[in-house]
């Protein structure tokens, strides 16, 4: 293997993600170790280098021409991740200073000196016993950010985001208050559009919901009343407008179940942005005031109220 291939092999064995095995990452590791085409890894060093110095090394030693305006690319694609993985450290000066520099940690430099020697495996294992790999770090971070919830007796996770936080609120707060005993027929996720999809139930209820249709965010079925709830969760777009009602009706025209159309918002401020586009004969629910509903239903609920 040539030195670039060896650098990729080192990064692979250190369990960095595939993106951090790119040529920019390979050349950055070589520059930080001061290993050129004529130098072995056993003579690896760890001088302080600015990103400018890394670009100069890359151009002079490996003939890879990177312009000065690519410094941010090196920082984002390589140096940021190398620091997360405990491969490098900085000199502690202000990041906007012309003297801001990086170097391999002494521990990382010492490890590289054993590459392609009989001691490499033991030294690599020792390093990995002290530091989580990037794959482990990023996997655990992603897992922590996942939004856990339970539906139909099954524990699931939403991908992170405000929209999915609102969907979780609908399932955990709206459902027990206003649709108790309901079965969740469908829930989409930003990463998995069919996270929950009860095809048998939907077919039985006469719902023709194709996989490529724009489905409501959540569909509930309450068997006691034979009601279907079609719920849109709105953080930025997509309330139950007259056009949206027509689209949903087109998917559920064969169903004899009663149909309830709900737009869920995280708060009143968001709701106010969509007042003029929400269809009549629909329901509105606010996650920050979960015990109440707003009914766009004319005289259906008209009557005197008693306030204590």
């Amino acid at each position: 293997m040539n030195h670039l291939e060896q650098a990729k092999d080192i990064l692979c064995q250190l369990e960095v993600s595939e993106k951090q095995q790119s040529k920019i990452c390979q050349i950055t590791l070589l520059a930080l170790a001061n290993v050129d085409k004529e130098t072995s890894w056993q003579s690896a060093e760890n001088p302080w280098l600015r990103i400018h110095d890394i670009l100069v090394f890359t151009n002079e030693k490996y003939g890879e021409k990177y312009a000065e305006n690519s410094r941010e690319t090196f920082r984002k694609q390589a140096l940021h991740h190398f620091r997360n993985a405990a491969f490098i450290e900085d000199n502690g000066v202000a990041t906007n200073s012309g003297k801001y520099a990086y170097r391999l940690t002494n521990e990382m430099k010492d490890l590289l000196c054993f590459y392609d020697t009989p001691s490499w495996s033991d030294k690599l294992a020792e390093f990995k016993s002290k530091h989580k790999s990037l794959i482990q770090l990023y996997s655990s971070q992603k897992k922590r950010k996942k939004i856990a919830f339970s539906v139909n007796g099954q524990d699931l996770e939403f991908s992170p985001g405000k929209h999915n936080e609102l969907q979780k609120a609908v399932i955990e707060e709206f459902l027990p208050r206003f649709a108790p005993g309901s079965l969740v027929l469908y829930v989409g996720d930003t990463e998995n559009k069919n996270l929950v999809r009860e095809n048998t139930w939907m077919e039985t209820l006469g719902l023709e919901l194709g996989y490529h249709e724009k489905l409501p965010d959540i569909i509930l079925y309450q068997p006691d009343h034979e009601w279907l709830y079609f719920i849109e969760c709105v953080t930025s777009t997509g309330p139950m407008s007259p056009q949206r009602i027509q689209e949903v009706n087109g998917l559920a025209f064969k169903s004899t179940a009663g149909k309830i159309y709900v737009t869920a918002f995280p708060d009143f401020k968001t709701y106010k942005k969509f007042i003029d586009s929400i269809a009549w004969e629909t329901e509105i629910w606010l996650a920050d005031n979960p015990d109440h509903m707003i009914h766009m239903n004319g005289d259906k609920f008209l009557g005197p109220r008693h306030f204590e």
Side-chain angles (χ1 to χ4, degrees):
M1 293 187 289
N2 62 36
H3 278 53
L4 285 170
E5 292 169 336
Q6 290 173 343
K8 182 174 183 177
D9 181 52
I10 290 169
L11 292 170
C12 180
Q13 292 193 54
L14 283 164
E15 296 182 44
V16 306
S17 57
E18 192 169 342
K19 287 183 179 179
Q20 277 69 63
Q21 299 176 32
S22 67
K23 179 174 280 189
I24 282 180
C25 295
Q26 297 164 22
I27 207 75
T28 299
L29 182 63
L30 287 161
L32 289 165
N34 197 25
V35 173
D36 60 30
K37 291 182 179 180
E38 309 303 322
T39 308
S40 73
W41 290 98
Q42 283 69 55
S43 59
E45 302 172 346
N46 61 340
W48 289 106
L49 297 179
R50 300 165 299 164
I51 297 180
H52 168 76
D53 301 323
I54 294 173
L55 296 177
V56 170
F57 176 93
T58 300
N59 292 342
E60 291 183 354
K61 303 299 183 181
Y62 285 90
E64 299 286 342
K65 304 296 182 182
Y66 291 98
E68 284 293 327
N69 61 9
S70 63
R71 284 179 293 178
E72 191 63 21
T73 302
F74 275 75
R75 181 181 291 110
K76 288 182 176 180
Q77 292 189 15
L79 294 162
H80 170 76
H81 302 284
F82 284 5
R83 182 160 49 190
N84 286 346
F87 298 168
I88 64 173
E89 59 191 351
D90 62 59
N91 59 358
V93 304
T95 54
N96 60 354
S97 168
K99 296 182 180 180
Y100 187 75
Y102 304 87
R103 73 173 182 181
L104 296 175
T105 64
N106 288 328
E107 189 179 18
M108 181 65 173
K109 184 261 293 182
D110 292 343
L111 172 65
L112 294 179
C113 289
F114 288 98
Y115 180 70
D116 202 25
T117 72
S119 301
W120 167 252
S121 294
D122 291 339
K123 296 297 181 180
L124 177 64
E126 182 181 346
F127 183 93
K128 290 165 73 171
S129 71
K130 297 177 181 178
H131 305 285
K132 286 187 175 182
S133 71
L134 274 186
I135 289 176
Q136 291 171 322
L137 282 171
Y138 292 169
S139 175
S140 62
Q141 287 173 6
K142 186 174 182 181
K143 188 172 182 62
R144 283 197 300 271
K145 291 178 182 177
K146 290 281 189 179
I147 303 169
F149 70 106
S150 297
V151 63
N152 302 340
Q154 183 180 5
D155 293 331
L156 297 171
E157 290 180 330
F158 282 127
S159 54
K162 291 183 178 180
H163 183 266
N164 284 338
E165 288 173 3
L166 180 55
Q167 293 202 120
K168 174 183 170 73
V170 168
I171 292 168
E172 295 183 349
E173 304 293 340
F174 172 88
L175 190 157
R177 286 175 170 86
F178 299 104
S182 289
L183 176 70
V184 179
L185 300 185
Y186 174 82
V187 179
D189 177 72
T190 51
E191 294 182 0
N192 178 3
K193 296 299 183 185
N194 295 287
L195 182 62
V196 176
R197 189 184 179 100
E198 299 288 346
N199 288 316
T200 301
W201 269 101
M202 290 194 291
E203 184 178 342
T204 300
L205 290 167
L207 300 180
E208 295 188 352
L209 306 180
Y211 280 86
H212 301 292
E213 301 284 359
K214 186 182 184 303
L215 306 181
D217 291 316
I218 298 174
I219 302 174
L220 309 177
Y221 176 63
Q222 190 183 55
D224 289 350
H225 295 91
E226 295 188 0
W227 287 350
L228 282 166
Y229 294 73
F230 299 102
I231 305 171
E232 292 285 21
C233 297
V234 177
T235 53
S236 58
T237 59
M240 278 294 181
S241 64
Q243 179 183 353
R244 191 73 185 101
I245 297 290
Q246 285 189 338
E247 292 172 351
V248 174
N249 280 340
L251 303 173
F253 73 97
K254 289 185 179 180
S255 179
T256 59
K259 301 175 183 66
I260 299 170
Y261 304 93
V262 182
T263 305
F265 295 99
D267 48 47
F268 194 81
K269 181 180 179 181
T270 307
Y271 158 59
K272 287 196 299 183
K273 297 177 183 178
F274 295 91
I275 288 176
D276 60 353
S277 59
I278 300 171
W280 292 106
E281 310 301 324
T282 66
E283 317 296 329
I284 296 159
W285 182 76
L286 310 179
D288 68 344
N289 212 331
D291 291 323
H292 302 282
M293 293 275 285
I294 300 171
H295 303 282
M296 299 281 286
N297 283 352
D299 63 357
K300 184 174 181 180
F301 297 99
L302 184 63
R305 302 285 182 179
H306 174 69
F307 294 97
E308 294 183 357

